[in-house]
Amino acid sequence: MRNIIAALLCLLSAVVSAQTEKYQMRAVWIASVANVDWPSKSNLSVTEQQNEMIGMLDRFKELNINAVVFQIRPASDALFVSSYEPWSLWLNGSGVAPSPFYDPLQFVIQEAHARCIEVHVWLNPYRVSLDDTTMLCKEHPLFEHRDLIKKYGNRYFFDPGRDETRAYLNKIVADVVMRYDVDAVHFDDYFYPYKVGKLEFPDEDTYLANPRGFAPDKRDDWRRNNVNLIISELQQTIKGIKPWVDFGISPFGVWRNFRTDPRGSKTTAGTTNYDDLYADIRLWLESGMIDYVVPQLYWEIGKEVADYKELIDWWCHNSFGRNLYIGLFASGLKNQKGPAWNKGNELARQMTLNKKYPQQEGVFLYSARPLLKNPLGICDTLRNNYFRYPSLVPRHHGDMSLNLLRPQNVRVLSGENEKRLVWDETPASGGEKVAYYVIYAFKRNEKTNYNTSRNIIGKSAVPYFDLPDEYKSGKHVFAVTSVNRYRCESAPSLAE
C-alpha cells in the first residue's frame, strides 16, 4: 500500500509540474508528403486547403501547442514560392501554382504567428523523389540536376559527396530564411537513405573523384564527413542571415548501440544514425553545429531492443547543452502500434517519465491529423494534465544580450459586456520586432509570481487582449511582458 501511495504521489507531482512548466516546447509535425497531414488530399480547392489549416491551428491553440513543424520541401519540391524547385505534387496533384494563387508557407506563417505559434520549416535535404517519377515536371531537379543525383533502390537522392550538392542545399535554405519569417529550419531523420537490403549507395565514383584524404577503407567516415560538412555550412548560412532562427534536427532515436561503441545507448537497434544513415548527431551537438535536437523515440517503455526509458536517459546525458526535445509517436495510439499502445495511454506514461529529466525541455508530436482525432483521449490528457496552461518556447541559446523593452501604458478598458487589456505597441529592440506578448493575471493582494505558467492567461500577437469572463470581475490585477525573436522575455508592466 505504501508503494502504491508513493507511486501515486510521484505521478501527481509530475502532472502538477507539467501543468506549471513555464518554458516548454509543445510542437506538432505537419507532414505534407503523400498528403499525410496537410492538405489531406491533393485535389482540394484553395479555400478548402486554407480552412483545413486554420482548423488545425485553431485546435492547436486550444491545446496550448506553441510550435508547428511544417513540411515545405518533402522531395526537392516546394510548398512555397521557389525560383529553384517546382510546386509540390502533394499540394494540388499537378505540380503547378495554386489557383487562385496564394503562398502556402506565407499563409501558415501568418496564421500561426497570429496565434502565437512558432513555425519551424521542415525540409528533406537529399530526397529527390519517391518511387513514382512519372508525374514530375521537366523543371524538377531530377532532370535539371541529373549529374548530382543517384538512384538507390527505386528512389533518387542528391549525392551527399558532391560539393555542388552542398552549394545547392545552402542556396535553397538561404532563400527560405531570407524571404520568410520562419522561427527555425528543421531536418528529420533522412540523411543518407535507409539501407535497401545489402545494396550499397552508389557513390564509388564520387569518392574516387574527391576522397578528401579518407583512405578507401574509411569510406564510412568519408560519408559521415559529407553530412557533417552540410550541417556545419547550413548553420553558418542560417545564422548569417537571421541569427535568431534555430537549426534543429530530429534524428532516428538511436545514435549507436553500446555493443558497437561504449558511448552508445544500451540498445540493440538494427539501424543507427552513425553506422547506417552516416549522421553523427552526437558530434553535431557536441560541436554546436545545431541548436536543438528531437530524437524520435517512437518505442514504448520497456521495449527490448530500444527501451524508451533507456533512450531518454541516453539523450539527456548526450545533448551537450543544446535544447533537447523528445519526439513522441502520437500516431502510434491511433495505429495501435502494439500491446503497450493499447493499454491506457503510452504517450501519457512517456510524458510523465520525461519530467524526471530536467535536461529535456518539451516534446514534438507526430503527426497532426492522427493526433487531432484524439486517439485514446490523448488531446484531453494533454489539455487537462500536461498542457493545461500556456507556455513559452524555451529560450534561444544564441546571443541574448539585446535590451528588451517592456510594454508601456498597460490599462484595462471596459465596454458593454467586455473588458479589454490594452498597451502601447512595443517598438523594435536590437533591430528585431517583438514576437508576441504574454499576459499574466493575479488575484488582488496575491504575491506576483512570473516563474510559473499557472499565472499566464494568454499570449497575444497584437497590443491588446480580450479578458475571459472569469477575469472581468475586478478581482485580479494584470501584467504584460514582451518576448523577442530570441525567445527572451522582458520585465513585466502592471496594468495601471
Side-chain angles (χ1 to χ4, degrees), residues 21-23 390-396 399-407 426 429 434-442 449-453 455-460 479-493:
E21 193 73 57
K22 179 176 176 178
Y23 292 96
S391 71
L392 282 60
V393 171
R395 294 182 181 94
H396 196 286
D399 179 11
M400 297 182 288
S401 61
L402 301 178
N403 293 320
L404 277 76
L405 301 178
R406 69 173 72 188
T426 305
S429 175
V434 168
Y436 57 88
Y437 303 93
V438 184
I439 297 88
Y440 296 84
F442 309 96
N449 181 1
Y450 297 96
N451 296 318
T452 172
S453 61
N455 295 324
I456 298 175
I457 62 170
K459 296 184 284 188
S460 178
V480 181
T481 64
S482 63
V483 176
N484 71 3
R485 299 308 302 275
Y486 291 92
R487 306 183 182 94
C488 296
E489 188 180 18
S490 75
S493 293

Side-chain angles (χ1 to χ4, degrees), residues 115-277:
R115 293 162 176 78
C116 302
I117 296 173
E118 287 194 354
V119 177
H120 297 210
V121 287
W122 170 14
L123 301 86
N124 187 290
Y126 297 128
R127 186 167 63 200
V128 174
S129 75
L130 297 187
D131 295 343
D132 184 8
T133 61
T134 59
M135 293 291 290
L136 300 181
C137 65
K138 63 181 180 179
E139 294 81 19
H140 193 277
L142 178 60
F143 309 113
E144 290 210 331
H145 300 285
R146 190 67 185 84
D147 58 320
L148 300 181
I149 292 168
K150 299 288 188 180
K151 186 176 184 181
Y152 181 63
N154 294 323
R155 298 182 176 184
Y156 292 89
F157 302 87
F158 275 103
D159 185 351
R162 294 287 297 270
D163 293 341
E164 297 89 341
T165 292
R166 297 201 311 278
Y168 181 77
L169 291 175
N170 272 283
K171 180 172 66 175
I172 296 296
V173 171
D175 178 55
V176 171
V177 175
M178 180 75 73
R179 293 190 296 116
Y180 293 94
D181 188 18
V182 302
D183 299 286
V185 173
H186 180 98
F187 289 175
D188 58 0
D189 54 319
Y190 292 100
F191 292 97
Y192 273 83
Y194 282 81
K195 301 287 188 181
V196 179
K198 296 183 178 180
L199 187 65
E200 278 286 310
F201 189 79
D203 57 2
E204 174 76 14
D205 58 334
T206 308
Y207 166 74
L208 292 174
N210 188 16
R212 293 197 308 278
F214 289 91
D217 63 343
K218 298 294 184 182
R219 177 79 66 82
D220 286 356
D221 290 338
W222 173 80
R223 287 173 173 161
R224 276 185 286 274
N225 184 249
N226 292 332
V227 185
N228 293 344
L229 287 172
I230 189 60
I231 296 299
S232 177
E233 290 177 7
L234 284 173
Q235 176 77 316
Q236 295 176 47
T237 293
I238 294 165
K239 301 301 183 184
I241 299 170
K242 293 176 181 175
W244 59 88
V245 172
D246 270 352
F247 184 27
I249 305 289
S250 178
F252 182 75
V254 178
W255 173 70
R256 296 192 92 185
N257 294 314
F258 181 80
R259 67 185 180 187
T260 305
D261 188 327
R263 299 173 298 171
S265 54
K266 294 177 182 177
T267 51
T268 55
T271 297
T272 70
N273 284 288
Y274 186 93
D275 300 290
D276 300 292
L277 308 179

